[in-house]
Each structure stands twice: as C-alpha cells, then as structure tokens.
C-alpha cells in the first residue's frame, strides 16, 4: 500500500460543552461543565446528563441524532472551505452511532403493545435517519461509499478509521467521517441497569469515580488526500496518521482485564504512523469514569507510553456520547494539537493508587507533533487514532 | 478477494448442505407469512457454549461465522488474527423491543441489564470473536439494503491494507412480531406466500424473513475454495454470464430490474426460498459461489415471467464464469456484487 498523506481539513463539533468549536474551547478553558437533569424525555432516574441546547435542524420528522449530525457536518464542511460544494471530488460518508440505528421509540412500542397497531410516523423517522444515507441526501452527494458504523462506543473512532482505509485505497478523494448520538431513554435505563452511571458529575480516572454520565452530540471531521486539499488551495496542518482496531474476545460488557486488546490497537496505530510511544505529546483517553474502563485503560496507557504520559478524558465536559464520542474526541484532539494546550481533565481530584497515573489536572501546554485518541466499547472493541500536526 | 469458506443459517436449517437441499427442493409455503429460523437450528451447545444467554440474532450469526471458518482450510495459527465485519439492516430488533417491554412493564429502574447489553448492534460480532477467540479488527455496520455490499467493500480495503489476512464477512437479520407488523404496514405481503421476483412490479410482494450468511475472505489465492468476490464499482461494465436478482419486495418498486429484462441477460432469483431481507444479497452471493464451485445451476424456484426475462434453466449450455448479484434499492440505485470463477 503506497503511503498517502491523509489530511484533516475540517472540524465540526456540537455537544453540551458547546454548539461549535469556539464555545467548546471557551468551556474547555474555563473548565465549565454543563451537566444537569434530563429534560428531553421523562425519566424516573436521577442521573445528571449532558444535553445539547438550541440544536439547529431539529424537527420531529428526523431523529435528534440526525439533527446533531447536520449541525456538526455543516461546521466541518465550512471549516474545510467546502461551502460551495464538492465539485468533481469522489466523496465518501462514514458515520458512527448507536441510538440512530435502533427503533427504540417507547411511544411507538407502547401503542403497538396496547392495541396491536401503531402509527408509522416513528418508523418513517427511523428509516429516514440512517446517518450516512441521510447526510448524503442532505448534502446531495451521490456516492457508492456510504456507511453507518454501529460498533457501540467506538463507532465514531471506527468510522474515521474506515474513512482512512477508503482514502488509502483510493476509493475516494474525501471522506466526511465521525459520529453522532442523541440522549435517549433506552441507553439511560440500560446503562443504569448495569450500575455504571454516576449520580453526580463524572470523575474520570479519579480514585472516587462512581460511573459515567450520558451525553449527546456529534463530532465530524473532513478527511482528504493531501494532494486533493492542495489542489483546492488549502494547506493542511493536521493529518490522520494511523488507526488501530482490535477485539478483546473476552466479555460482552467488561474490558479484558489485561488490556491486551487496547494495547494491540495502540501498537497497530503507532506502527501505521511509523512513530514510537515517545513521540506522543498527549492522549485523549476514552475515560468513561467507570471503575473497570478507567483502571484497564490507564494501566495500558502507562504500560505503552510510560508513567509520565499526559492524558485526559473530555467526558467530564460532554458526558459519554456513545457513538459520537470517537468523533468528538478526534475533533478535541485536533484542537489540542492546533492550539497547543489541553484542558484539565474535568472531575479528577485524587490519584487512584490502583491506577497509579493521573490525568492532567490543569490547563496544560502541549508542544509535540502527535496525539492519540482512544475508544473502548461494549463487546470488547478497542480503537485508536494517531493525529499529527505539521 | 477470494471466498475461502461459507456458512449459512436460514429458514430451512443451517449449513451449505441445507441450502443446496432447499435450492433443489424449491419453494415451500411460509408459516404465518414469515420465513423464520426454527429454534432447533440454534441449539448447537458446542459452538454456542459462550453464547448460551445470547438472543437468536447472535446465535444465527455465531453459527454461520463458525461454519464459514470451519469450511475454510486457512492455517490454524492465523485464526486468532481473523477480522470480523458483520452487516445488518436492523440489528437485534427483537431484543430491542424486549427491552422496551421491560421499560414499560417494570419502569426505568427495573430493566434487565442482560437484555440491554444484547440489544446493541455489535453484540453478535463480539460473541463471534469470543466464541472463535479471534482478536483481529471487529466491526458492525448498518446500511439497510446496501449493508452487505458496504461490508464487502470494507473487507477489500482491509485486506489490501493488510489490516488482516483473513476476514469473516457476513450478515444477520431477524424478523419478529413487531417487524412483521411494520412490514405489513409498509410493504405488500404476498397473500399466497409466494414472492414473484421476475414480475418487476411497481408494488412487489414480500414475505419477511431472517437468517445469517458468512464468508471467510482472503487475498491468498491458494485458499480460494469458491470464487473471487468484489463490490467495487466497475467503470466499463463487463456483462456477467448470470444475474442473480435480489428482487424480494423489500425496496419498493422493482421496475429497475426491467433493465436486465431488456438486455436479455440470463437471470435467476432465490428470494422465494429465502424470503425477504434487506441483507438478501449475502445469500445470493452464497448461492452464486456454490454454483461456480460446483459447476451447476440451481433453477429459480418461481418462474412467473410476465416480461419474458431470460430465466436460466437448470442445465444451461452456456458456461457460467461471472455472476453479478444485483439489488435496486429504495432509490432505484443499482447495487452490485460480482463473483468470478478463477481464471475467468
């Protein structure tokens, strides 16, 4: 496979931390956390969540996940200077999600259960909300590369990795990649039943962490061959250099205790980027704030990158946005490299002696060229991206 | 990319022998207007030892994937690095509705964690990895009618990048009471239970179905047991020797297939045996691969032919080396997967 430089030329993000990149950076800098009670639907559960306010494109005809997608995609497209369209470029679309792939509409199901009949509006909304397909229609893009990844919490990262593969194989010139997920009653109840949701704001990697908070959002990046972006008159600064993906083959909901799946994914990504662990300036970790995830993940980070590695979890700003998380965190990793700083890992106070290493606890200057974003998912999927700044 | 092994689970059983038997036997009327996989098909305790608590969706996929790997002769030492790509239109939707049942019956705080964790789309791929102890890249994707073709494209990409050397690529979709109700509202259900794939109807008839088909794919030609497979677009289309049509009533108007009728190309279709599934193309590929391997043609089970299509006879005189599995989606876009016999 000939080496092809794959540039990141556009970024878009919407989450409880901000409806665009500027708001996000401001909240990162101030350490502001917008978690609070759920108001999007009725719930008897008393868990704080991270909701998006003032969501554009929001109508009852499409799922909220799709409105989030449109918002982030519009930002990324404008950021890449593609507002006027894609011209003759061969475009692929690859997006990750969890909620938008399921017809988990309790009102629809209640009516069906009670009477054996239910109106098809919910079904139509679901069928119209396959993220990749709907975005291709929204942007009027004709493409044979249009895929929605449903790899649970690593979906967004894997969607970006799939985009990288398409470009390296010259299947297309440019890919719109990332993830989106809405806050929904089903995962809130489901994660609650697994006893992994915190009743207070989450504290990733902290000794007293008590579980995750759910959130919603979308993070989308524009990937394109460097040669294509240069022809468009852009001079890209950011590059996607490597992607690793490996299975635990261990348990449906718990990570493999030795973390070997994540380690394999990281090493694969580093090898693809042709760099070593010492080249990494910081890691945007998955860091859900569950006991198991943070313990396994941090131990692997220490093992691969050494005990002094700079890392953080941004889930204290966004909540766990499931299929969107990988997309959002790839965008946040790009922002860290571009701006030369990463925020304090929100919620962290005390070192967990079992973990042995601590995330950054204050706004931290970054000087290196490479950064990592990791995702761990239900079912034992482990994914890692290597992003570089020129 | 070559097919080194195959496995299937469908309404008449498990395995390639069951599929061949069904193809020879022909159409059988469905029960209750759906082709469901019999529960006794999903009871292999040895293969499903790690999936005892799993749902039917996962069990179908696990068995089909296991059989595809077992059907291949790839080296034992490479099996731990096999990749997995599972494509599904609707995922484990029966389990999703079971979880909604839990919410409505027991409230937000009374739901089952087991049902929730099995309602996630990638549960099946995770069980396959767990059961087979494969640690390679593992991914689940969904794209409604285009799911399998997208999975094949990604498999070609991964093999080309050497992300892995062998990949289990497959589909799984299931039916159930709620899905069958939705189908009855959104589709025209065949009143006689018979899908008529050559009618090219504006409002075609469907019979909801379920099943799983898996393929062990590789770029190593020496492990090719069936044929090559590719889903990448062909600019200057070579005509195929045979077109297998996925006209099963699931994607609205099937008038697009008239293009094939007008070209007088030989055609076949097997939806009347398998039922209607947005991931039917994986089964069409499995049947096409069997034909190319065995050098024999399976007759189309239903031969209603109002447009005088060139429906292939069971023992044709023309050689079959290239087969295109063809689906027109709900937007009338053509989706094509090509199978090619070695040397063709």
């Amino acid at each position: 496979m000939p080496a092809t430089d794959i540039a990141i030329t556009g970024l878009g993000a919407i989450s409880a931390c901000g409806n665009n990149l500027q708001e996000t950076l401001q909240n990162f800098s101030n350490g502001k956390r917008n978690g609070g009670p759920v108001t999007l639907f009725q719930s008897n559960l008393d868990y704080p969540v991270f909701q998006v306010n003032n969501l554009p494109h929001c109508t009852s005809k499409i799922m909220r996940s799709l409105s989030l997608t449109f918002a982030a995609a519009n930002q990324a497209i404008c950021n890449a200077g593609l507002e006027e369209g894609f011209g003759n470029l061969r475009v692929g679309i690859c997006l990750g999600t969890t909620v938008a792939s399921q017809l988990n509409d309790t009102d629809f199901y209640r009516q069906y259960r009670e009477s054996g009949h239910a109106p098809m509006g919910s079904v139509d909304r679901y069928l119209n909300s396959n993220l990749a397909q709907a975005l291709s229609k929204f942007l009027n893009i004709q493409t044979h590369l249009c895929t929605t990844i449903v790899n649970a919490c690593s979906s967004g990262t894997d969607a970006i990795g799939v985009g990288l593969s398409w470009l390296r194989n010259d299947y297309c010139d440019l890919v719109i990649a990332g993830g989106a997920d809405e806050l929904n009653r089903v995962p809130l109840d489901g994660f609650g039943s697994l006893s992994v949701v915190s009743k207070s704001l989450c504290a990733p990697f902290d000794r007293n962490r008590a579980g995750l908070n759910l959130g919603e959002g979308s993070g989308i990046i524009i990937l394109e061959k460097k040669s294509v972006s240069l022809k468009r008159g852009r001079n890209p600064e950011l590059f996607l250099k490597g992607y690793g993906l490996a299975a635990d083959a261990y348990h449906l909901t718990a990570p493999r205790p030795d973390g070997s799946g994540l380690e394999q994914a990281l090493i694969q990504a580093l090898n693809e980027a042709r760099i070593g662990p010492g080249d990494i300036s910081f890691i945007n970790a998955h860091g859900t704030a569950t006991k198991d995830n943070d313990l396994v993940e941090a131990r692997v980070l220490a093992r691969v990158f050494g005990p002094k590695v700079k890392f953080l979890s941004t889930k204290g700003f966004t909540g766990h946005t499931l299929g969107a998380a990988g997309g959002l965190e790839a965008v946040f990793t790009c922002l860290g490299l571009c701006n030369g700083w990463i925020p304090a890992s929100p919620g962290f106070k005390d070192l967990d002696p079992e973990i042995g290493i601590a995330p950054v606890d204050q706004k931290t200057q970054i000087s290196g060229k490479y950064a990592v974003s990791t995702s761990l998912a239900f079912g034992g999927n482990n994914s890692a991206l290597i992003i570089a700044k020129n | 990319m070559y097919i080194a092994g195959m496995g299937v689970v469908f309404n008449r059983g498990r395995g390639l022998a069951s599929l061949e038997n069904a193809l020879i036997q022909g159409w059988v009327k469905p029960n209750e207007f759906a082709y469901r996989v019999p529960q006794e098909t999903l009871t292999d305790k040895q293969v499903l030892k790690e999936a005892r608590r799993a749902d039917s969706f996962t069990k179908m996929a696990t068995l089909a994937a296991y059989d595809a790997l077992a059907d291949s002769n790839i080296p034992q030492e490479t099996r731990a690095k096999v990749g997995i790509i599972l494509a599904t239109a609707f995922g484990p939707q029966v389990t999703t509705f079971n979880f909604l049942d839990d919410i409505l019956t027991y409230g937000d705080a009374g739901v089952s964690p087991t049902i929730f964790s099995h309602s996630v789309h990638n549960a099946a791929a995770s069980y396959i990895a767990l059961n087979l102890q494969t640690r390679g890249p593992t991914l689940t994707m969904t794209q409604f009618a285009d799911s399998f073709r997208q999975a094949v494209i990604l498999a070609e990409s991964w093999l080309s990048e050497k992300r892995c050397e062998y990949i289990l690529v497959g589909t799984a979709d299931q039916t159930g009471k709620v899905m069958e109700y939705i189908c009855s509202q959104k589709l025209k259900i065949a009143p006689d239970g018979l899908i008529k794939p050559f009618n090219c109807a504006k409002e075609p008839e469907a019979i909801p179905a379920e099943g799983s088909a898996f393929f062990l794919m590789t770029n190593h030609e020496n492990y090719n047991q069936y044929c090559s497979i590719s889903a990448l677009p062909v600019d200057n289309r070579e005509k195929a020797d045979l077109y297998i049509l996925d006209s099963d009533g699931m994607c609205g108007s099937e008038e697009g297939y008239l293009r094939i009728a007008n070209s007088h190309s030989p055609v076949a279709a097997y939806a009347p045996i398998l039922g209607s599934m947005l991931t039917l193309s994986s089964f069409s590929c499995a049947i096409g691969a069997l034909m190319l391997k065995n050098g024999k043609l399976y007759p189309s089970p239903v031969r209603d032919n109002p447009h005088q299509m060139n429906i292939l006879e069971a023992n044709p005189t023309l050689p079959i080396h290239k087969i295109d599995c063809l689906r027109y989606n709900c937007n009338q876009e053509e989706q094509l997967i090509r199978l090619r016999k070695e040397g063709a």
Side-chain angles (χ1 to χ4, degrees):
Chain A
M1 177 68 48
T4 307
D5 282 337
I6 306 303
I8 299 171
T9 56
L11 304 174
I14 181 167
S15 73
C17 189
N19 282 20
N20 54 51
L21 302 182
Q22 289 72 26
E23 284 181 26
T24 302
L25 280 168
Q26 196 169 7
N27 285 326
F28 276 180
S29 186
N30 298 336
K32 190 176 177 199
R33 307 178 70 184
N34 296 320
V38 62
T39 59
L40 287 172
F41 49 86
Q42 292 281 326
S43 175
N44 297 325
L45 301 177
D46 188 21
Y47 299 127
V49 296
F50 286 81
Q51 293 178 177
V52 171
N53 294 316
N54 305 317
L55 173 60
H57 309 288
C58 193
T59 82
S60 60
K61 289 186 178 172
I62 58 174
M63 290 177 81
R64 190 172 167 84
S65 299
L66 195 51
S67 302
L68 292 160
T69 304
F70 290 166
N74 269 336
Q75 289 176 37
I77 287 165
C78 292
N79 192 229
L82 291 160
E83 305 94 320
E84 302 300 319
F86 298 90
N88 292 325
L89 294 178
R90 299 170 301 157
V91 179
I93 301 175
C94 193
L95 299 170
T97 191
T98 64
V99 172
S101 66
Q102 295 179 313
L103 183 52
N104 48 15
D105 185 318
T106 43
D107 290 334
F108 163 81
Y109 188 69
R110 181 186 292 110
Q111 289 185 63
Y112 172 78
R113 197 170 89 144
E114 287 171 356
S115 66
H117 298 282
M120 287 291 110
S122 297
V123 175
D124 291 337
R125 186 165 60 241
Y126 161 68
L127 293 174
N128 290 329
S129 296
N130 174 286
L131 295 191
Q133 186 174 296
L135 186 61
S136 76
K137 277 187 188 169
F138 181 68
L139 298 173
N140 198 20
I141 293 170
Q142 301 283 322
T143 177
H144 72 282
L145 294 169
C146 186
T147 291
T148 302
I149 304 298
V150 282
N151 237 20
C153 306
S154 64
S155 300
T157 300
D158 293 324
I160 292 169
V162 168
L164 179 67
S165 291
W166 288 347
L167 288 163
R168 282 179 173 165
N169 280 284
D170 193 30
Y171 294 172
C172 56
D173 302 314
L174 181 149
V175 178
I176 304 169
D181 249 327
E182 70 197 58
L183 200 58
N184 182 284
R185 186 178 177 186
V186 167
L188 187 64
D189 290 0
F191 280 100
S193 73
L194 288 162
S195 303
V196 294
V197 184
S198 173
K199 291 201 168 180
S200 54
L201 290 185
C202 65
F205 301 107
D206 188 82
R207 177 183 193 154
N208 298 311
R209 65 191 181 280
L212 56 82
N213 304 140
L214 282 181
E216 62 177 358
S218 177
I220 288 181
I221 66 177
I222 305 295
L223 293 171
E224 60 184 309
K225 293 178 188 166
K226 182 183 176 185
S227 55
V228 170
S229 61
L230 289 173
K231 271 189 199 161
R232 293 202 296 117
R234 312 288 288 189
N235 189 15
E237 281 198 322
L238 292 164
F239 294 88
L240 182 57
K241 303 295 281 187
Y243 165 58
L245 168 66
D248 275 352
Y250 173 72
H251 192 271
L252 193 55
T253 58
R256 184 177 273 270
D258 67 5
S260 55
L262 175 60
E263 187 169 350
Q264 189 182 324
L266 283 165
I267 289 168
Q268 191 182 346
L270 289 166
N271 288 342
E272 276 195 21
R274 297 177 185 176
I275 59 172
D279 295 312
I280 297 299
S281 57
F282 75 94
I283 297 156
N284 195 321
H286 190 60
T288 57
T290 63
K291 287 282 178 198
D292 286 349
N293 176 89
D294 289 9
L295 179 64
V296 170
E297 184 177 18
R299 282 180 172 173
V300 171
L301 296 184
R303 194 159 71 228
V304 174
F305 298 99
K308 292 185 178 171
V309 64
K310 289 176 184 167
F311 70 102
L312 79 161
S313 166
T314 46
K315 289 193 171 62
F317 287 117
T318 62
H320 190 349
T321 57
L322 306 178
L328 277 168
E329 288 157 25
V331 171
F332 299 160
T333 305
C334 291
L335 291 178
L337 283 169
C338 280
N339 295 308
W341 60 270
I342 53 174
S345 192
F348 177 81
K349 285 180 187 161
D350 297 319
L351 178 71
D352 182 343
E354 271 198 275
I355 287 179
I357 60 171
V360 294
D361 59 1
Q362 55 188 315
K363 188 174 169 181
T364 301
Q365 297 302 308
I366 295 299
S367 58
K369 184 176 172 186
Y370 298 97
V372 175
S373 181
T374 56
S375 290
L376 288 77
F378 252 28
N381 290 310
N382 305 277
S383 306
L385 299 173
I386 308 277
I387 296 170
K389 186 191 171 204
N390 249 358
Chain B
M1 185 167 71
Y2 303 101
I3 298 174
M6 300 198 297
V8 295
V9 173
F10 69 119
N11 69 84
R12 286 193 231 173
R14 168 188 170 194
L16 299 177
S18 295
L19 182 59
E20 284 200 79
N21 284 341
L23 290 166
I24 292 163
Q25 187 185 12
W27 177 70
V28 172
K29 193 171 184 176
N31 294 323
E32 298 175 18
F33 297 103
Y35 283 114
R36 295 188 187 139
V37 172
Q39 279 304 306
E40 58 267 25
T41 305
L42 308 176
T43 54
D44 187 329
K45 287 183 182 171
Q46 182 66 30
V47 176
L48 297 172
K49 62 181 184 296
E50 300 289 350
R52 292 185 303 276
R53 296 161 74 191
D55 57 15
S56 297
F57 180 84
T58 286
K59 286 179 177 172
M60 286 191 300
T62 303
L63 290 169
Y66 175 91
D67 289 346
L69 184 59
D71 183 44
S72 77
N73 53 3
I74 66 167
Q76 196 68 34
E77 65 273 16
T78 64
R79 296 186 177 208
K81 292 182 180 173
V82 167
I84 299 167
I85 302 174
L86 172 61
T88 176
F90 299 116
Q93 38 83 18
V94 173
T95 306
T96 300
F97 293 124
N98 286 343
F99 190 69
L100 297 184
D101 245 339
D102 250 23
I103 293 175
L104 295 176
T105 304
Y106 303 111
D108 294 315
V111 296
S112 157
T114 304
I115 296 177
F116 173 65
S117 55
H118 287 83
S119 73
V120 179
H121 271 51
N122 71 327
S126 302
Y127 268 113
I128 294 168
L130 179 59
N131 263 49
L132 300 176
Q133 279 301 298
T134 57
R135 312 268 320 258
T138 299
L139 194 125
T140 304
M141 56 171 48
T142 180
Q143 206 57 32
F144 294 140
D146 201 21
S147 299
F148 182 59
R149 191 179 68 102
Q150 292 293 332
V152 174
I153 290 173
L154 183 60
E156 292 183 87
S157 168
W158 278 4
L159 290 176
S160 168
E161 287 180 286
K162 301 196 186 319
R163 204 168 279 288
C164 48
E165 285 187 83
Y166 307 94
I167 311 183
L168 283 163
V169 184
T171 63
D173 265 305
Q174 64 178 162
T175 187
K177 284 186 177 172
V178 187
M179 184 55 74
E180 286 159 21
Y181 168 70
I182 291 170
C183 286
S184 75
Q185 300 298 299
K186 302 291 294 180
L187 305 172
K188 194 172 173 185
I189 303 300
D192 54 0
L194 187 64
I195 296 167
K196 301 175 187 73
F198 303 118
N199 277 18
C200 305
K202 193 171 184 179
E203 291 182 50
E205 293 169 346
I207 297 292
E210 61 187 2
S212 176
F214 260 88
F215 304 80
L216 196 286
M217 297 182 187
T218 180
N219 277 345
H220 294 302
E221 194 172 358
N222 48 327
Y223 296 113
N224 174 21
Q225 289 213 79
Y226 294 89
C227 57
S228 69
I229 180 168
S230 177
L232 293 171
V234 185
D235 286 337
N236 299 311
R237 170 92 65 83
E238 274 177 87
K239 272 187 90 171
D241 301 323
L242 170 66
Y243 291 86
I244 299 180
L245 311 183
D246 285 345
S247 39
D248 62 355
M250 285 293 279
C251 289
S253 171
E254 293 181 345
E255 292 165 304
Y257 294 98
L258 284 169
R259 288 171 217 166
I260 297 295
N262 295 336
S263 74
H264 304 292
S265 301
V267 295
Y270 303 97
I273 289 173
L274 298 154
S276 306
M277 285 180 273
L278 287 179
T279 47
L280 180 69
S281 54
S282 60
F283 283 94
S284 297
C285 286
I287 294 167
L290 277 177
M291 287 182 186
L292 292 176
K293 178 179 181 178
N294 297 338
K296 67 177 180 183
L297 272 293
Y298 301 104
S300 297
V302 171
R303 303 177 71 82
D304 293 39
N305 194 8
H307 302 287
Q308 281 79 51
M309 294 180 103
N310 182 10
I311 302 174
L312 207 63
E313 299 298 327
N315 297 300
T317 50
L318 72 163
I320 303 291
H321 297 296
K322 284 175 289 198
I323 297 176
D324 281 355
C325 301
L326 181 66
R327 157 84 86 182
Y328 285 99
N329 69 13
C330 299
N331 300 321
Q332 297 297 300
E333 295 159 341
E334 183 182 282
Q335 295 166 347
L336 189 141
I337 302 173
R338 170 157 288 187
L339 308 173
R340 188 189 288 257
K341 195 173 179 178
E342 194 180 357

